[in-house]
């Protein structure tokens, strides 16, 4: 096993957990988990600490705002309050509006089911990425987060290694070519590998022991 393989193994051992899993989302190719992932992606894409976004995703779930119809039916103030309980105060008012508008769009256009959006994209990842950005507040970064996490259940997206994941690879002195990185990951879950690379990009303590020793 060469140094790069050891780095990948140690990274996965230490940080092999998707952000969806950390938010309490048991991700499956079914409407509610996919919607919760969309909301999480929206929250994570803002200029706010990841831990706050994760706590806020859990807070929305606890408030019952776990599917687009419930989100759309909730009052603006109910959404603001749930966001605030998660610590998402800097963007709470704007985000409350965006979540309501996005939920209404999902119900109206895709019957509340992101699998219908997937069908509309017809397996084309650039089209998936474009359609996801039609939701208010979900820009390129949010679409990347969604596809990075969803690639385990939407395999046509794999390997999805966005700029943030590739930044983590560079920090670990790993290849920054997605195909070469995927080869190093072997049979690891692509979403787990991508999330671990992102943690290497954003968390100082995420560098594997192999890299710290080398440094």
């Amino acid at each position: 096993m060469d140094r790069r393989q050891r780095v990948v193994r140690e990274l996965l051992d230490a940080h092999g957990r998707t952000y969806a899993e950390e938010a309490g989302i048991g991700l499956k190719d079914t409407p509610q988990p996919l919607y919760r992932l969309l909301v999480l992606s929206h929250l994570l894409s803002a200029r706010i600490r990841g831990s706050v976004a994760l706590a806020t995703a859990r807070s929305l779930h606890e408030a019952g705002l776990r599917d687009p119809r419930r989100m759309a039916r909730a009052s603006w103030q109910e959404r603001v309050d749930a966001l605030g309980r998660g610590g998402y105060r800097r963007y709470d008012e704007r985000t409350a509006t965006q979540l309501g508008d996005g939920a209404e769009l999902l119900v109206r256009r895709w019957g509340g089911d992101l699998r219908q959006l997937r069908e509309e994209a017809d397996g084309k990842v650039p089209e998936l990425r474009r359609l996801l950005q039609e939701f208010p507040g979900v820009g390129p970064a949010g679409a990347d987060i969604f596809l990075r996490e969803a690639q385990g259940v939407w395999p046509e997206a794999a390997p999805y290694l966005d700029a943030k994941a590739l930044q983590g690879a560079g920090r670990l002195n790993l290849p920054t070519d997605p195909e070469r990185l995927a080869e190093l990951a072997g049979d690891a879950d692509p979403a787990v590998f991508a999330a671990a690379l992102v943690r290497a990009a954003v968390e100082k303590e995420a560098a594997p022991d192999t890299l710290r020793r080398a440094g």
Side-chain angles (χ1 to χ4, degrees):
M1 181 182 296
D2 66 18
R3 186 203 69 85
R4 296 180 307 172
Q5 290 171 318
R6 286 196 299 273
V7 168
V8 169
R9 185 187 65 183
E10 291 181 15
L11 180 69
L12 289 169
D13 286 346
H15 302 286
R17 188 183 189 196
T18 65
Y19 285 89
E21 182 182 357
E22 193 171 346
I25 302 170
L27 191 58
K28 298 183 290 185
D29 189 26
T30 54
Q32 188 177 117
L34 289 170
Y35 177 68
R36 291 183 63 198
L37 175 60
L38 179 67
V39 171
L40 175 63
S41 302
H42 180 163
L43 299 173
L44 282 169
S45 65
R47 294 180 180 274
I48 200 162
R49 291 195 310 276
S51 59
V52 172
L54 291 162
T56 302
R58 291 190 290 267
S59 176
L60 289 165
H61 182 264
E62 290 162 4
L65 307 179
R66 60 194 64 162
D67 66 61
R69 288 178 174 83
R70 293 180 186 182
M71 185 70 81
R73 285 199 302 265
S75 70
W76 178 83
Q77 191 61 54
E78 287 172 329
R79 293 192 293 269
V80 168
D81 291 345
L83 290 163
R85 286 192 294 273
Y88 209 83
R89 295 184 181 87
R90 182 178 176 187
Y91 303 105
D92 55 354
E93 295 187 357
R94 182 180 67 183
T95 302
T97 299
Q98 291 172 337
L99 288 175
D101 292 345
E104 290 176 2
L105 172 65
L106 180 53
V107 171
R108 182 177 68 251
R109 182 165 172 184
W110 293 291
D113 187 347
L114 283 163
R115 295 176 301 179
Q116 292 189 25
L117 177 149
R118 181 188 183 190
E119 288 181 11
E120 183 175 326
D122 195 28
K124 298 178 176 64
V125 175
E127 182 65 4
L128 275 174
R129 191 171 184 269
R130 185 191 70 79
L131 289 172
L132 288 165
Q133 291 178 64
E134 295 198 14
F135 291 101
V138 178
D144 283 341
I145 293 166
F146 182 93
L147 291 170
R148 198 174 67 213
E149 293 276 312
Q151 62 185 310
V153 295
W154 287 5
E156 70 270 24
Y160 199 91
L161 296 165
D162 64 344
K164 187 61 70 174
L166 296 179
Q167 180 184 334
R171 181 168 181 252
L172 300 176
N173 297 321
L174 294 172
T176 54
D177 175 75
E179 291 186 6
R180 292 177 64 195
L181 266 180
E183 289 176 5
L184 278 176
D187 59 359
D189 184 311
V192 169
F193 181 49
L197 288 171
V198 170
R199 287 187 172 90
V202 301
E203 300 175 14
K204 291 181 179 179
E205 67 274 16
D209 290 341
T210 299
L211 187 64
R212 285 194 287 265
R213 288 195 297 271

